[in-house]
Amino acid sequence: MQKSNIVEELDALTEYWSQKVLTEANGQQFKIAKGIGATNWHKHDDQDELFIIFSGEMTIGLRSGDVTLKEGDMFTVPKGVEHRPVAEKEAKFLVVGLNITSNKEGGKPN
């Protein structure tokens, strides 16, 4: 058992769109990441993906329309739904999902 400070962990990240697992609970992974720019369109056929914004602003592009998230906002992309996170300026966030994934790289840009 070990505690984590989410803000400190987010500040220590050096690569955009790379997720770091902080902990697991009840089959869920709690991952932090920061982003700037855009990811590739992608989907997860085996799980929902929950985003919680800690700082900045991020738009979750959906084929049906965009959802803009600001600090303190939370949004779940249902499994099987194509999405594309975009941040014009740096955004720091927490991602929660099952401890399995259908595409390990997600939509990380090449």
Side-chain angles (χ1 to χ4, degrees):
M1 294 184 293
Q2 183 176 339
K3 77 173 190 174
S4 297
N5 182 291
I6 295 171
V7 174
E8 289 175 4
E9 293 282 354
L10 281 164
D11 287 343
L13 292 176
T14 58
E15 187 177 344
Y16 290 115
W17 304 116
S18 288
Q19 299 176 356
K20 177 183 178 184
V21 176
L22 291 185
T23 192
E24 290 189 30
N26 299 314
Q28 301 286 315
Q29 286 187 333
F30 293 77
K31 304 172 276 191
I32 55 166
K34 59 184 177 182
I36 193 165
T39 66
N40 296 318
W41 283 96
H42 66 286
K43 64 181 179 167
H44 306 280
D45 290 326
D46 53 9
Q47 66 179 295
D48 300 329
E49 189 170 36
L50 170 71
F51 293 87
I52 302 171
I53 307 302
F54 273 79
S55 68
E57 185 175 306
M58 182 166 61
T59 298
I60 305 293
L62 302 169
R63 299 296 186 186
S64 60
D66 296 342
V67 177
T68 299
L69 304 173
K70 298 180 181 181
E71 186 174 323
D73 286 344
M74 178 172 65
F75 180 73
T76 301
V77 177
K79 67 180 174 182
V81 173
E82 267 196 304
H83 59 286
R84 178 181 181 232
V86 179
E88 290 186 26
K89 296 180 182 176
E90 184 179 84
K92 296 177 182 176
F93 53 97
L94 179 74
V95 178
V96 181
L98 295 175
N99 59 8
I100 58 163
T101 185
S102 57
N103 51 353
K104 185 176 180 180
E105 292 300 313
K108 186 175 175 180
N110 298 332

